[in-house]
């Protein structure tokens, strides 16, 4: 398999139409839904619409977004997606998001995060990448810190999760 870029444990490839059933299954998993915040449910049809928008945005000369499929290098299996959103070249900023299917807790998300941030800095020329994470998702917060993100602040009661209004932890990676 050919990847756009690799890390120690993951390879990042483009989004794939053939993986739409996997993308829909991953985003509908209860653990993933609680961590990413979608209130609706996803089908192959809604994933197709997302895929077309995301693929088009990622293919622009100066992409407004950059979406990747995450592959585990140990067996080339697709294990999730990651992306940069709201890319602003004038300010050198973007927002990061990741979604892993069944292979959470194995270091793949940390490696994927490092590789996407490296892409943001080295390929896109950005300076600052930000993300939001829910405070109960301690595993993700630890992974982001291992990947080079630092705490930026708390957005008070900004998210509805698990039946209540909660804070959002804001984190950033800055090109050094």
């Amino acid at each position: 398999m050919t990847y756009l870029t690799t890390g120690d444990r993951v390879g990042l490839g483009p989004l794939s139409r053939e993986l739409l059933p996997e993308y829909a299954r991953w985003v509908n998993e209860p653990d993933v839904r609680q961590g990413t915040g979608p209130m609706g449910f996803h089908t192959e049809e809604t994933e197709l619409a997302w895929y077309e928008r995301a693929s088009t945005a990622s293919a622009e000369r100066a992409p407004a977004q950059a979406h990747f499929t995450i592959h585990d290098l140990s067996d080339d299996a697709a294990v999730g997606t990651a992306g940069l959103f709201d890319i602003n070249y004038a300010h050198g900023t973007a927002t990061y998001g990741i979604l892993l299917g069944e292979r959470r807790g194995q270091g793949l998300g940390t490696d994927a995060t490092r590789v996407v941030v490296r892409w943001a800095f080295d390929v896109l020329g950005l300076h600052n990448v930000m993300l939001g994470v829910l405070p109960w998702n301690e595993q993700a917060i630890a992974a982001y810190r291992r990947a080079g993100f630092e705490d930026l602040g708390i957005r008070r009661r900004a998210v509805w999760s698990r039946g209540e209004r909660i804070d959002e932890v804001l984190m950033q990676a800055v090109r050094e």
Side-chain angles (χ1 to χ4, degrees), residues 16-28 41-53:
S16 170
R17 185 180 295 268
E18 291 76 33
L19 291 171
L20 291 176
E22 292 295 305
Y23 299 152
R25 186 173 57 77
W26 293 334
V27 78
N28 284 320
F41 57 89
H42 295 248
T43 65
E44 284 186 46
E45 291 77 20
T46 59
E47 289 302 289
L48 175 60
W50 165 77
Y51 163 82
E52 289 175 346
R53 286 189 313 272

Side-chain angles (χ1 to χ4, degrees), residues 5-94:
T5 187
T6 60
D8 296 330
R9 309 234 4 247
V10 302
L12 299 183
L15 297 178
S16 170
R17 185 180 295 268
E18 291 76 33
L19 291 171
L20 291 176
E22 292 295 305
Y23 299 152
R25 186 173 57 77
W26 293 334
V27 78
N28 284 320
E29 287 182 15
D31 289 342
V32 172
R33 291 172 60 79
Q34 288 180 0
T36 58
M39 296 175 93
F41 57 89
H42 295 248
T43 65
E44 284 186 46
E45 291 77 20
T46 59
E47 289 302 289
L48 175 60
W50 165 77
Y51 163 82
E52 289 175 346
R53 286 189 313 272
S55 295
T56 299
S58 296
E60 296 171 0
R61 182 172 176 87
Q65 301 176 20
H67 295 271
F68 305 93
T69 299
I70 304 166
H71 296 267
D72 185 333
L73 290 177
S74 71
D75 61 3
D76 288 329
V79 298
T81 62
L84 297 165
F85 310 89
D86 303 322
I87 297 172
N88 183 315
Y89 294 97
H91 297 295
T93 60

Side-chain angles (χ1 to χ4, degrees), residues 23-170:
Y23 299 152
R25 186 173 57 77
W26 293 334
V27 78
N28 284 320
E29 287 182 15
D31 289 342
V32 172
R33 291 172 60 79
Q34 288 180 0
T36 58
M39 296 175 93
F41 57 89
H42 295 248
T43 65
E44 284 186 46
E45 291 77 20
T46 59
E47 289 302 289
L48 175 60
W50 165 77
Y51 163 82
E52 289 175 346
R53 286 189 313 272
S55 295
T56 299
S58 296
E60 296 171 0
R61 182 172 176 87
Q65 301 176 20
H67 295 271
F68 305 93
T69 299
I70 304 166
H71 296 267
D72 185 333
L73 290 177
S74 71
D75 61 3
D76 288 329
V79 298
T81 62
L84 297 165
F85 310 89
D86 303 322
I87 297 172
N88 183 315
Y89 294 97
H91 297 295
T93 60
T95 302
Y96 176 71
I98 185 170
L99 181 151
L100 285 179
E102 299 80 23
R103 297 192 188 183
R104 292 182 296 279
Q106 301 177 26
L108 300 172
T110 301
D111 195 38
T113 300
R114 281 189 196 110
V115 176
V116 173
V117 170
R118 186 178 69 217
W119 182 277
F121 294 160
D122 296 346
V123 175
L124 300 179
L126 303 180
H127 180 74
N128 179 293
V129 177
M130 188 178 90
L131 63 82
V133 61
L134 302 180
W136 55 257
N137 197 346
E138 294 171 7
Q139 186 176 4
I141 292 169
Y144 295 137
R145 287 180 179 143
R146 284 191 304 273
F149 277 81
E150 59 189 28
D151 293 355
L152 179 62
I154 302 292
R155 191 171 181 194
R156 298 286 174 208
R157 303 179 54 82
V159 178
W160 182 257
S161 175
R162 296 179 168 177
E164 64 180 317
R165 183 147 303 283
I166 63 171
D167 296 343
E168 179 181 29
V169 177
L170 302 177

